[in-house]
Amino acid sequence: MFTSRLDALARRSLLRRLRTIDSAPGTEVELDGHRVLLFSSNNYLDLAAHPRVTEAAINAIRRYGVGAGASRLVSGSLRPHRELEERLAAFKREEAALVFPTGYQANLGLIPTLAEDRDVLYVDRLCHASLIDACRLCEAPLRVYRHRDHAHLARLLQQGRPPRPALIITDGVFSMDGDLAPLPELCKAAEQAGATLVVDDAHGTGVMGADGRGTVEHYGLEGRAIVQMGTLSKALGGMGGFVAGSRDLIEYLVNRARPFIYTTALPPAMAAAAAAALDVIEAEPERRARLWSLRDLLHEGVRRIGFDTLDSRSPIIPLLVGDADQALALSDQLLAYGVYAPAIRPPTVPAGTSRIRMSVTAGHTPAQIDHVLDVLKTIVASDGRLQESLRGGRLAGAKARGRKARSPSP
Ligand SMILES: *Cc1c(COP(=O)(O)O)cnc(C)c1O
């Protein structure tokens, strides 16, 4: 039964396979036995193997062991958790923070808790799957507004006129398009409607803003009523998720968020590693500067080759192709040249907007960026079908951005 379902996926170029990496995290890794240049990691600041970060984890393992042993409310709340939460609250300039075992769980805990006394949830059409799943756990109805379209949101808010406050939910940096939510406008719309704005800043934390505090800092919105969620698993290089907000909210989450209450606490070593990563972020701002200059190098280069990169404003750079099979073919060609950047296909992105998703880290070198640009140039020059689909890709990109976009992925 599953064989035929798998066959059906394969026929539509939608079959996904796990690949195995057998080397330290970095930009050159051993993937399924071949050395490749990696352009797909969210390890933006190259902290996953930073000596200070790994050292902190090892020391915490020696002192606390590998597992927390219980949920936080039973006996799993260890000193590294508390210390990290204080650091995260200060980093996000919020009163308090709460750590979850993953970012996914942080969203599953946060959204239903906030939705308890709210009538309607408004989400951006391209919100991360964990936010969509979190909304599905809520009783309140879900309204999807067009991607980054705050005017559309404002109209929906007007129409809905919810008797009780609504929740507005967005990514800070969108994980597949690499573009930014219009937070100033969303914040204003939320304030006018008496709604609460939630920002999932998984890809913004450590990356966006002068000090890497995230998308809220980038827009100068610190101090406004925004609930921030983030992960420890991307720029911070480890594993885990968190919510930062008012002391009341955090205390309420401790009491109500089921993915916090009914699960074993984050391993203490991961908490210690994340705290050390925050130390490095503060001590070495040049890592972020390097990340951005490499990102600009790659972005300008792929645009010159002719790729539509949607509205990327982050180290996530989509190379729009269009159809799933074409995206897959390009990813395979890149791999043949020793470059790994995965094809992203439906249901992760809307049909017709399949793409290669490249991500840059501070660990890349300018020579590696030059190399991948040469490889892309060679592939495009020798592949008429790809050239054609690039032209079509631009159409799909216009469609993805435009008003007549297809039905929402959620
Ligand atoms: C990765 C991601 C998450 C989930 O975080 P994990 O820590 O990997 O579970 C949530 N939201 C967004 C936008 C993400 O990109």
Side-chain angles (χ1 to χ4, degrees):
M1 168 177 158
F2 291 110
T3 315
S4 65
R5 291 186 189 180
L6 287 166
D7 287 346
L9 284 175
R11 271 197 304 280
R12 291 156 61 210
S13 297
L14 296 180
L15 190 66
R16 299 160 182 229
R17 279 214 178 84
L18 294 170
R19 297 178 192 273
T20 306
I21 289 180
D22 187 21
S23 52
T27 56
E28 253 186 70
V29 300
E30 185 119 344
L31 180 86
D32 289 340
H34 302 282
R35 268 328 281 156
V36 298
L37 264 180
L38 195 67
F39 277 93
S40 61
S41 169
N42 301 318
N43 180 22
Y44 297 117
L45 293 176
D46 197 26
L47 293 180
H50 190 288
R52 253 171 97 174
V53 176
T54 50
E55 196 75 8
I58 290 164
N59 289 338
I61 287 180
R62 293 229 164 84
R63 172 137 188 214
Y64 297 98
V66 292
S71 81
R72 291 284 297 279
L73 280 169
V74 176
S75 60
S77 196
L78 307 174
R79 179 181 291 281
H81 296 125
R82 302 314 294 262
E83 286 175 356
L84 173 61
E85 284 165 351
E86 275 167 32
R87 294 294 312 276
L88 285 168
F91 184 65
K92 287 286 183 178
R93 299 213 166 108
E94 294 283 358
E95 279 179 13
L98 187 67
V99 171
F100 290 71
T102 69
Y104 192 108
Q105 279 169 281
N107 279 335
L108 293 191
L110 173 65
I111 302 296
T113 303
L114 286 176
E116 269 178 16
D117 56 354
R118 284 173 173 81
D119 271 358
V120 190
L121 314 178
Y122 296 91
V123 298
D124 186 288
R125 172 174 172 260
L126 295 188
C127 269
H128 190 259
S130 59
L131 289 170
I132 302 302
D133 293 354
C135 289
R136 287 180 175 148
L137 293 174
C138 303
E139 276 167 33
L142 184 61
R143 305 247 161 86
V144 179
Y145 62 89
R146 286 193 287 262
H147 182 47
R148 293 163 70 216
D149 189 342
H150 52 89
H152 187 213
L153 169 68
R155 279 199 302 284
L156 290 179
L157 281 165
Q158 270 273 303
Q159 285 165 14
R161 227 172 260 127
R164 284 178 296 175
L167 206 58
I168 300 169
I169 301 164
T170 185
D171 291 20
V173 177
F174 287 88
S175 56
M176 294 300 136
D177 288 27
D179 52 1
L180 307 184
L183 288 191
E185 289 82 4
L186 295 181
C187 193
K188 204 165 131 209
E191 283 167 359
Q192 278 170 358
T196 300
L197 178 60
V198 178
V199 177
D200 174 338
D201 218 12
H203 294 278
T205 301
V207 171
M208 303 298 301
D211 297 325
R213 295 176 206 282
T215 316
V216 171
E217 183 196 22
H218 168 82
Y219 281 116
L221 294 171
E222 287 171 309
R224 300 283 278 277
I226 299 175
V227 177
Q228 297 191 61
M229 170 272 169
T231 67
L232 313 176
S233 58
K234 285 162 183 160
L236 273 61
M239 179 85 193
F242 68 91
V243 174
S246 70
R247 209 161 267 122
D248 282 0
L249 167 66
I250 297 306
E251 199 178 329
Y252 195 60
L253 285 169
V254 169
N255 283 274
R256 297 295 284 184
R258 296 167 65 86
F260 174 84
I261 299 171
Y262 299 105
T263 197
T264 299
L266 181 77
M270 282 299 114
L278 289 174
D279 288 341
V280 177
I281 287 174
E282 276 167 15
E284 301 177 16
E286 63 274 13
R287 299 182 90 80
R288 200 167 38 262
R290 194 157 68 235
L291 167 66
W292 279 98
S293 79
L294 291 162
R295 178 267 171 206
D296 289 346
L297 201 61
L298 181 64
H299 188 246
E300 279 158 29
V302 296
R303 300 279 301 189
R304 263 201 306 275
I305 294 171
F307 284 99
D308 184 337
T309 57
L310 295 171
D311 249 323
S312 166
R313 296 274 195 285
S314 72
I316 299 167
I317 303 177
L319 312 187
L320 206 66
V321 175
D323 291 333
D325 65 325
Q326 285 286 83
L328 207 57
L330 179 53
S331 175
D332 286 346
Q333 288 192 79
L334 282 167
L335 200 55
Y337 280 98
V339 173
Y340 182 63
I344 307 288
R345 298 160 281 165
T348 307
V349 293
T353 71
S354 289
R355 67 203 60 185
I356 300 294
R357 176 186 184 272
M358 302 196 78
S359 51
V360 185
T361 75
H364 283 110
T365 63
Q368 288 174 332
I369 305 277
D370 285 344
H371 176 70
V372 76
L373 288 171
D374 283 344
V375 166
L376 280 166
K377 260 179 245 165
T378 307
I379 293 173
V380 171
S382 68
D383 187 336
R385 202 170 146 229
L386 177 58
Q387 288 165 21
E388 213 167 283
S389 98
L390 279 192
R391 285 191 287 273
R394 250 181 240 111
L395 287 177
K399 228 186 299 174
R401 279 187 293 262
R403 315 202 136 219
K404 292 202 188 69
R406 283 169 216 218
S407 61
S409 47

